[in-house]
């Protein structure tokens, strides 16, 4: 671990970012260039003291999980992310088509979508990052581990995963997920993570096997969906996807039609957050 170089790298990247680059409000008075240390700490989920010690060359070696959070918070590209790992004394993560390092370009767009639910997804339906409104509607998936992070896997192995869609849409959603997995499998082959996921689902789910035999293949993002929230009921949204150049990640944005009841419901959820409506007396 090169403490001096790591501290200098973190400081320079922090000072090179503006609050608006990471979705923060600048505020009236800012005496220092770039982001404040406490803002970086909040973005990564670490304590302010821990981050300050890293910049002062006094901190312990960061874990790989912490480095991933730092790379995302500081909007590092893949090469910069690898450099960060080396400075911290870790092996560089192997780059694959399913690399979980979120593309900075997609993050910059996501940061500006405070009024619409938005998520960045891997080809296997893993939520890499989501904005606040998306977590209010879909739940916080950041604590999920292993294959449970994949929407495709959860759909066919956990009945609770279907609650966000009305029952009449379950067949269409299931076919869409399988068609998306087939596209990922075709692009990466049987020895990829898509191949691993396919093998598990073929073994575990008769429903999946039946849909897989249809040989439908596409990335079905641009359509209209009905979502179900326990507090506000059905929400109809249009879905649009923005892909990285190599098609390895997609930013999915869900927008209600202007002036619709769904738009009012999303505005209400933006205020309500995860708190829920107060219980009636």
């Amino acid at each position: 671990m090169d403490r001096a170089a790591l501290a200098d790298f973190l400081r320079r990247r922090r000072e090179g970012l503006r609050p608006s680059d990471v979705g923060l409000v600048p505020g009236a008075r800012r005496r220092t260039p770039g982001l404040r240390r406490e803002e970086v700490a909040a973005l990564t989920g670490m304590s302010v003291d821990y981050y300050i010690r890293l910049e002062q060359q006094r901190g312990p070696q960061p874990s790989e999980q912490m480095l991933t959070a730092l790379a995302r918070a500081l909007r590092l590209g893949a090469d910069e992310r690898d450099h960060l790992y080396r400075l911290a004394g870790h092996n560089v993560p192997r780059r694959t088509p399913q690399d979980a390092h979120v593309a900075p370009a997609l993050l910059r767009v996501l940061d500006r979508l405070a009024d619409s639910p938005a998520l960045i997804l891997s080809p296997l339906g893993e939520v890499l990052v989501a904005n606040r409104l998306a977590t209010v509607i879909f739940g916080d998936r950041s604590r999920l581990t292993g294959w449970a992070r994949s929407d495709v896997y959860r759909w066919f192995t956990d009945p609770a995963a279907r609650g966000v869609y009305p029952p009449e849409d379950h067949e269409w959603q299931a076919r869409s997920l399988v068609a998306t997995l087939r596209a990922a499998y075709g692009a990466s082959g049987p020895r990829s993570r898509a191949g691993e996921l396919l093998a598990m689902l073929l073994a575990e789910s008769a429903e999946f096997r039946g849909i897989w035999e249809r040989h439908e293949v596409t990335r079905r993002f641009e359509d209209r969906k009905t979502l179900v929230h326990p507090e506000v009921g059905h929400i109809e949204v249009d879905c649009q996807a923005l892909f990285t150049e190599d098609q390895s990640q997609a930013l999915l944005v869900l927008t209600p039609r202007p002036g619709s009841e769904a738009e009012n419901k999303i505005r209400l959820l933006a205020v309500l957050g995860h708190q829920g409506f107060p219980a009636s007396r």
Side-chain angles (χ1 to χ4, degrees):
M1 178 178 174
D2 189 337
R3 295 180 183 276
L6 176 63
D8 188 55
F9 181 74
L10 292 175
R11 179 178 58 80
R12 290 182 182 276
R13 289 298 177 273
R14 174 177 61 81
E15 292 178 350
L17 287 172
R18 298 169 299 178
S20 59
D21 292 333
V22 296
L24 298 176
V25 178
R29 296 180 179 179
R30 300 189 71 89
R31 297 180 179 179
T32 59
L35 299 180
R36 298 186 177 103
R37 291 186 178 95
E38 57 266 29
E39 290 170 335
V40 175
L43 289 170
T44 57
M46 67 175 66
S47 71
V48 177
D49 178 68
Y50 183 92
Y51 182 77
I52 290 175
R53 283 187 290 154
L54 286 178
E55 283 203 7
Q56 293 179 345
Q57 307 178 36
R58 299 186 295 111
Q61 183 184 38
S63 66
E64 292 185 4
Q65 182 180 8
M66 192 61 70
L67 293 175
T68 297
L70 278 169
R72 183 174 297 174
L74 296 173
R75 303 305 190 253
L76 302 184
D79 291 335
E80 294 173 316
R81 184 273 311 266
D82 292 352
H83 182 62
L84 175 67
Y85 269 72
R86 294 188 185 98
L87 293 178
H90 285 282
N91 293 326
V92 172
R94 185 170 64 92
R95 296 193 194 185
T96 68
Q98 289 81 34
D99 193 343
H101 179 63
V102 182
L106 292 188
L107 273 176
R108 285 194 292 271
V109 179
L110 179 71
D111 290 334
R112 289 161 172 77
L113 296 173
D115 60 348
S116 296
L119 317 90
I120 297 178
L121 302 167
S122 78
L124 303 184
E126 298 157 307
V127 176
L128 305 179
V129 64
N131 67 5
R132 178 175 173 273
L133 262 176
T135 62
V136 169
I137 294 175
F138 293 100
D140 185 2
R141 304 177 188 177
S142 62
R143 297 182 180 180
L144 298 176
T145 60
W147 287 112
R149 297 180 61 239
S150 167
D151 287 347
V152 188
Y153 182 80
R154 285 200 321 281
W155 184 270
F156 292 100
T157 60
D158 180 6
R162 305 190 177 198
V164 74
Y165 296 98
E168 60 269 22
D169 291 349
H170 285 184
E171 180 183 359
W172 172 254
Q173 181 65 12
R175 289 172 58 189
S176 297
L177 291 170
V178 175
T180 300
L181 176 58
R182 187 176 284 277
Y185 177 77
S188 53
R191 296 188 178 183
S192 63
R193 293 184 69 246
E196 292 179 34
L197 178 56
L198 171 61
M200 283 192 297
L201 290 175
L202 287 174
E204 296 182 27
S205 172
E207 180 188 9
F208 177 86
R209 290 194 296 272
I211 299 175
W212 184 258
E213 291 173 358
R214 293 172 177 259
H215 285 269
E216 295 174 332
V217 52
T218 185
R219 291 185 175 93
R220 284 178 175 159
F221 286 119
E222 296 184 11
D223 57 10
R224 189 161 181 79
K225 291 182 183 292
T226 299
L227 307 175
V228 181
H229 188 274
E231 301 286 6
V232 301
H234 288 48
I235 309 171
E236 293 187 358
V237 292
D238 291 317
C239 305
Q240 294 292 326
L242 175 65
F243 289 89
T244 54
E245 187 175 356
D246 62 1
Q247 302 285 298
S248 64
Q249 295 177 9
L251 170 62
L252 183 63
V253 185
L254 310 174
T255 57
R257 292 183 177 173
S260 66
E261 182 182 5
E263 183 180 48
N264 293 331
K265 290 180 177 180
I266 288 180
R267 286 177 177 172
L268 177 60
L269 290 176
V271 176
L272 188 67
H274 296 279
Q275 298 177 1
F277 289 110
S280 57
R281 295 181 179 178

